[in-house]
């Protein structure tokens, strides 16, 4: 019973922290997997997900002329909401050049190279839209055939869809490029290439990590912070629950502590027992909570893959440390109670 | 020579006009292998007296000596001294519910720092001598009242203490089982040479004692040998 209460508290904290981590990690997944050193954008635009960058394709042709540039892939991005299967989903349509390095990185089914009127859709999107490889779907007024299904391409609730470059330009209604992903020769410093790109009118280059962190910061402040606040509230509630549970568990065993005191147990044994009980209860609670959180995350991932919770081991270990540490503090209350238990309790019938 | 000796022992509760003297200037001594029965009505101060003899309660005045050594409660390692010198048998047995019969008996030895295996070996030997060989791994919840009291007695004797203090040891048992438990206590005390003080209401146990002390209002009113 005590461990169950702690488990529920731990589950809520772990699950919310997992969502918070997923929001951050998934928001930069596309750029992280692209492997590009630099991102070229319209001057003044420094993120990928929340701004609409546009510049002429010729600018990217000039980028390719810069010494040290191995490749410069054009990306046409269209942010929007599409209606599928009686619901509306936010999507991030990415138009790619043929054989681009920056396409979907984890294919579940079909092809990663869409051609003609084809699209590669995110797995969660496919589940909600109820489409599979070979199926057709209407996006932005265009009937498209699903060529492939990718995994890990849900960026904080924004589903990545991949189409050929010209199809994306058709959807966007422009012949411009949104971004350029620049791959730099390893012998040349990326900063030198970036400086050269900055000399091209209308565009600028930023390290991929900077653009990614800008996206992550925006996600964190708009979605992550409310989740973090919820997680902190859950943690505080968890601490209160832990305190009450551990105190109650000790009070329930007051007579046992009185027996130990009467027999002659020292402080080390008495307080150690109360603390050990707290640690064991906390560990059981965290392990059980981890299992529950993982189960809830799995259910959501299967049935409603709009959000996810990244319950990585390092996150669980870090949170377990915090929860157990806080529970040990909460255990000081029962230890105080144990100190006050009168050993003469043993004489009561 | 007396094993345990109380001199002018008093205990008061409350302050000012509300002061109640539960035990008043009471002196007593118990020899090795002797069983002293403390008889008296409820509220007469019997349990308060036993608490002070056992070092669980600090007297307002007076001293308790065990083997000539100063009051248990004044010693630096009072808990350790109590563990080594005094065994307790309680009315409601007070066995730890999460521990088996063997583990309950071994507990005082473990608290004294004995290795687990050695403590359990000693506990099992005691269980065997009390006819409870088959109940070694039983939890208290499945033991009968008589079995619990025998385990409780074994726990009290496992450290071979100099003093055995029993508080209403038969109150939770039926007449037959209570008599058996008391006879077992008497045999153990006579063989082990403990000084034993038994608090009871039960006048049917009088013939099992070596000496009977009648207490009323915290004072010794009569002493007799059955």
């Amino acid at each position: 019973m005590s461990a169950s209460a702690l488990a529920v508290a731990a589950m809520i904290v772990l699950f919310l922290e997992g969502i918070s981590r997923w929001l951050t990690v998934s928001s930069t997944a596309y750029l992280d997997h692209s492997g590009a050193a630099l991102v070229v954008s319209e001057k003044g635009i420094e993120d990928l997900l929340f701004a609409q960058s546009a510049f002429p394709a010729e600018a990217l042709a000039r980028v390719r002329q810069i010494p040290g540039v191995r490749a410069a892939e054009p990306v046409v991005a269209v942010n929007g909401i599409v209606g599928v299967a009686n619901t509306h989903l936010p999507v991030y349509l990415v138009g790619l050049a043929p054989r681009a390095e920056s396409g979907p990185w984890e294919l579940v089914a079909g092809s990663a190279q869409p051609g003609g009127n084809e699209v590669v859709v995110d797995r969660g999107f496919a589940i909600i839209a109820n489409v599979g490889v070979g199926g057709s779907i209407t996006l932005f007024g265009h009937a498209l055939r699903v060529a492939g299904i990718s995994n890990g391409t849900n960026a904080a609730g924004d589903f990545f869809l991949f189409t050929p470059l010209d199809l994306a330009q058709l959807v966007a209604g422009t012949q411009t490029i949104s971004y350029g992903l620049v791959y730099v020769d390893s012998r040349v410093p990326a900063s030198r290439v970036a400086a050269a790109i900055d000399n091209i009118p209308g565009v600028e280059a930023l390290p991929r990590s900077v653009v990614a962190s800008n996206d992550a910061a925006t996600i964190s402040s708009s979605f992550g912070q409310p989740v973090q606040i919820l997680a902190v509230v859950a943690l505080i509630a968890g601490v209160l629950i832990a305190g009450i549970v551990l105190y109650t568990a000790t009070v329930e065993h007051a007579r046992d502590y009185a027996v130990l005191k009467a027999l002659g147990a020292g402080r080390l044994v008495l307080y150690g027992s109360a603390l050990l009980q707290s640690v064991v209860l906390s560990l059981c609670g965290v392990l059980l909570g981890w299992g529950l959180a993982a189960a809830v995350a799995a259910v959501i991932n299967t049935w409603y893959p709009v959000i996810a919770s990244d319950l990585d081991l390092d996150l669980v270990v870090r949170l377990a440390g915090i929860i157990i540490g806080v529970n040990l503090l909460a255990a000081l209350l029962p230890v105080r109670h144990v100190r006050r238990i009168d050993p003469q309790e043993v004489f009561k019938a | 020579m007396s094993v345990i000796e109380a001199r002018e022992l008093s205990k008061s509760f409350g302050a000012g006009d509300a002061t109640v003297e539960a035990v008043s200037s009471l002196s007593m001594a118990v020899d090795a292998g002797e069983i002293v029965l403390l008889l008296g009505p409820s509220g007469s101060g019997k349990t308060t007296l036993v608490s002070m003899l056992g070092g669980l309660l600090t007297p307002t005045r007076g001293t308790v000596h065990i083997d000539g050594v100063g009051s248990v409660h004044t010693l630096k390692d009072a808990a350790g001294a109590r563990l080594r010198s005094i065994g307790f048998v309680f009315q409601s047995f007070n066995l730890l519910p999460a521990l088996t019969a063997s583990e309950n008996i071994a507990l005082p030895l473990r608290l004294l720092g004995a290795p687990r295996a050695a403590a359990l070996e000693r506990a099992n030997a005691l269980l065997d001598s009390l006819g409870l060989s088959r109940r070694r791994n039983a939890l208290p919840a499945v033991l009968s009242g008589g079995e619990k009291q025998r385990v409780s007695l074994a726990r009290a004797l496992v450290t071979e203490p100099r003093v055995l203090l029993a508080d209403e040891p038969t109150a939770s048992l039926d007449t037959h089982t209570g008599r058996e438990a008391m006879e077992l206590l008497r045999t153990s005390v006579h063989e082990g040479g403990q000084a034993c003080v038994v608090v009871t209401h039960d006048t049917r146990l009088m013939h099992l004692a070596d000496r009977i002390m009648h207490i009323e209002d915290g004072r010794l009113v009569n002493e007799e040998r059955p």
Side-chain angles (χ1 to χ4, degrees), chain B residues 147-160:
Chain B
E147 288 174 331
K148 283 179 191 170
Q149 198 54 294
R150 275 187 280 172
V151 171
S152 173
L153 178 60
R155 182 178 65 185
L157 294 171
V158 74
T159 56
E160 299 177 351

Side-chain angles (χ1 to χ4, degrees), chain A residues 169-183:
Chain A
Q169 285 176 323
L170 192 64
V171 169
T174 172
Q175 290 302 302
T176 55
I177 300 298
S178 305
Y179 298 93
L181 297 175
V182 179
Y183 298 83

Side-chain angles (χ1 to χ4, degrees), chain B residues 8-12 21-27 44-45 49 52 61 215-220:
Chain B
E8 294 294 315
L9 217 49
S10 297
K11 182 65 186 178
S12 302
E21 196 157 43
V23 173
S24 180
S25 299
L26 197 150
S27 296
S44 60
L49 175 59
M52 288 191 287
R61 286 185 306 279
I215 295 179
E216 280 177 26
D217 298 328
R219 295 173 187 278
L220 180 62

Side-chain angles (χ1 to χ4, degrees), chain A residues 237-258:
Chain A
V239 169
L240 289 174
I241 290 170
I244 292 166
V245 164
L246 295 174
Y247 185 75
T248 308
T250 307
V251 170
E252 280 173 358
H253 291 100
R255 195 177 183 89
D256 296 342
Y257 285 110

Side-chain angles (χ1 to χ4, degrees), chain A residues 4 16 47 50 60 63 72 83 123 155-156 170 198 202 229 231 238 269 318:
Chain A
S4 307
L16 289 174
D47 69 275
F50 299 94
L60 210 54
V63 169
R123 184 189 67 87
L170 192 64
D198 287 346
I229 289 168
V269 171
R318 187 167 57 83

Side-chain angles (χ1 to χ4, degrees), chain A residues 21-271:
Chain A
R21 171 170 284 204
W22 169 77
L23 285 171
T24 305
V25 171
S26 68
S27 67
T28 64
Y30 175 69
L31 283 178
D32 292 342
H33 284 91
S34 73
L38 299 169
V39 177
V40 180
S41 62
E42 181 183 339
K43 203 170 277 292
I45 289 180
E46 298 182 342
D47 69 275
L48 188 83
L49 297 177
F50 299 94
Q52 194 63 55
S53 163
F55 57 87
E58 294 76 38
L60 210 54
R62 289 182 63 182
V63 169
R64 291 192 189 97
Q65 307 301 315
I66 295 171
V69 172
R70 182 167 59 79
E73 290 184 359
V75 170
V76 172
V78 181
N79 234 330
I81 304 285
V82 297
V84 287
N86 300 321
T87 187
H88 291 84
L89 296 174
V91 297
Y92 193 86
L93 186 72
V94 176
L96 296 170
R99 291 175 299 284
E101 291 184 45
S102 55
W105 57 92
E106 187 185 339
L107 205 67
V108 176
S111 166
Q113 298 288 335
N117 271 5
E118 289 183 334
V119 62
V120 176
V121 299
D122 174 78
R123 184 189 67 87
F125 181 91
I127 290 172
I128 295 169
N130 195 27
V131 289
V133 174
S136 66
I137 189 164
T138 301
L139 297 171
F140 301 109
H142 299 267
L144 306 177
R145 177 185 175 275
V146 176
I149 294 172
S150 66
N151 202 18
T153 40
N154 175 357
D158 210 3
F159 295 103
F160 269 57
L161 313 176
F162 301 89
T163 64
L165 191 73
D166 52 357
L167 179 57
Q169 285 176 323
L170 192 64
V171 169
T174 172
Q175 290 302 302
T176 55
I177 300 298
S178 305
Y179 298 93
L181 297 175
V182 179
Y183 298 83
V184 176
D185 193 317
S186 59
R187 289 164 298 182
V188 179
S191 56
R192 191 193 299 169
V193 175
I197 293 172
D198 287 346
N199 289 329
I200 300 172
V203 297
E204 66 174 312
L206 287 171
R208 184 193 77 215
S209 59
V210 171
V211 178
S213 68
N214 289 343
D215 279 337
T218 309
I219 286 286
S220 178
S221 61
S222 52
F223 302 112
Q225 274 180 4
V227 175
Q228 272 294 331
I229 289 168
L230 287 175
V232 169
V233 169
L235 188 63
I236 292 168
V239 169
L240 289 174
I241 290 170
I244 292 166
V245 164
L246 295 174
Y247 185 75
T248 308
T250 307
V251 170
E252 280 173 358
H253 291 100
R255 195 177 183 89
D256 296 342
Y257 285 110
V259 171
L260 284 170
K261 269 191 170 181
L263 291 179
R267 288 177 184 177
L268 194 66
V269 171
L270 289 165
Y271 302 163

Side-chain angles (χ1 to χ4, degrees), chain A residues 253 255-257 259-266 269 342-349, chain B residues 47 50-51 56-57 79-80 82-83 88 90-92 94 96-97 107-108 111 155 167:
Chain A
H253 291 100
R255 195 177 183 89
D256 296 342
Y257 285 110
V259 171
L260 284 170
K261 269 191 170 181
L263 291 179
V269 171
D342 184 353
Q344 288 193 91
E345 287 286 320
V346 292
F347 291 118
K348 289 182 181 167
Chain B
T47 299
V50 168
S51 294
L56 300 179
L57 191 62
R82 193 159 64 237
L83 197 51
F88 287 98
F90 306 107
Q91 175 184 344
S92 50
N94 286 329
L96 297 188
L107 182 62
L111 293 174
R155 182 178 65 185
D167 181 55

